[in-house]
Amino acid sequence: MVPAASRHSPLPTVFVVDDEPAVRKALARVLRAMDIKVAQFGSAEEFIAAHDPAAPGCLLLDVAMPGLNGLELQRTLAVRDGALPIIFLSGCAEVPISVQAMKAGAVDFLTKPVPDEVLLAAVRAAFRKDRVARSARTAVAAIEARLATLTPREREVLDHVVAGQLNKQIADDLGAAEQTIKIHRGRMMGKMKVQSVAELVRLIEHLRISAPKAHRTKVS
């Protein structure tokens, strides 16, 4: 059984996207028997129109569908921050397609009919991946929120501190008094909620590594 979410977060949902009603119904029955929340969609377009990116969970996605197929939906979602982990379903073992799907980040590629235990194991893995990704995005958002409170001068001081410069060096570079730099530095450290330079460096490095490329805050 998949663990319940905490009191402060919604239960994860398996979003089943398949154009065959019988398949959707069978998958939903298996998942609900394990107390897993399910939402069903008959097409990729229907899913896109209804889905809330803030909703946690995973996507159980058929490869071959009329209109937008599974791989095309995967590419569409890949450009969005917070795309759900995807488990692909196929009526046959299509090796080239499965390789393409996995290279693009799919959690698994399953062949119909899927044994219950295999399906549940894949869903658990996808839920874990989603939890980790959402936690990382929350951490990045918290760091960016702290950065947003800095004044332009405090931000300049942060960049120099992260680069390993001392107050006197920063003062020379910025054309300011060393005592003024000390004041800016103290305020900056307070706003960033760190106690040491090492902690600040770790925080900024985490941001550089974890933030989505399209939205990374520039830190020299």
Side-chain angles (χ1 to χ4, degrees):
M1 188 174 296
V2 176
S6 72
R7 292 183 303 169
H8 304 292
S9 60
L11 288 171
T13 300
V14 176
F15 300 93
V16 180
V17 183
D18 196 302
D19 61 309
E20 298 181 49
V23 172
R24 295 198 304 271
K25 183 176 179 180
L27 292 169
R29 183 174 61 250
V30 171
L31 295 168
R32 285 173 177 149
M34 295 299 293
D35 295 326
I36 297 173
K37 187 178 178 182
V38 180
Q40 302 179 52
F41 302 90
S43 69
E45 292 84 356
E46 184 184 343
F47 169 76
I48 291 172
H51 181 55
D52 175 6
C58 69
L59 190 57
L60 193 54
L61 178 60
D62 188 25
V63 172
M65 294 182 292
L68 205 66
N69 66 36
L71 291 176
E72 290 168 338
L73 177 57
Q74 183 186 36
R75 286 193 290 270
T76 298
L77 296 176
V79 300
R80 303 181 180 183
D81 288 348
L84 288 169
I86 297 175
I87 302 166
F88 274 101
L89 296 171
S90 177
C92 58
E94 303 169 275
V95 175
I97 293 178
S98 66
V99 170
Q100 184 179 347
M102 297 301 286
K103 282 185 176 180
V107 174
D108 213 333
F109 194 98
L110 308 177
T111 303
K112 304 174 188 177
V114 185
D116 293 357
E117 64 276 12
V118 173
L119 175 63
L120 293 169
V123 167
R124 291 188 182 103
F127 279 179
R128 285 194 296 271
K129 183 175 181 179
D130 188 53
R131 282 196 301 271
V132 169
R134 287 178 187 277
S135 177
R137 289 194 294 272
T138 298
V140 165
I143 297 170
E144 290 181 332
R146 296 179 197 177
L147 284 170
T149 67
L150 302 182
T151 65
R153 179 60 92 185
E154 289 166 354
R155 184 56 184 270
E156 286 181 316
V157 171
L158 179 148
D159 291 341
H160 285 272
V161 169
V162 169
Q165 290 187 310
L166 302 175
N167 289 342
K168 186 178 187 308
Q169 295 171 309
I170 299 172
D172 290 342
D173 284 351
L174 298 182
E178 185 175 350
Q179 183 60 32
T180 301
I181 295 301
K182 287 179 67 175
I183 293 171
H184 286 310
R185 179 171 178 157
R187 290 173 179 168
M188 177 271 293
M189 296 287 279
K191 290 180 181 180
M192 292 303 295
K193 301 180 181 179
V194 294
Q195 301 297 319
S196 67
V197 173
E199 190 179 354
L200 177 66
V201 170
R202 285 195 298 271
L203 205 65
I204 298 304
E205 190 61 28
H206 177 76
L207 181 64
R208 286 173 174 156
I209 293 170
S210 303
K213 291 181 180 179
H215 301 286
R216 275 185 192 165
T217 303
K218 293 182 180 179
V219 180
S220 60

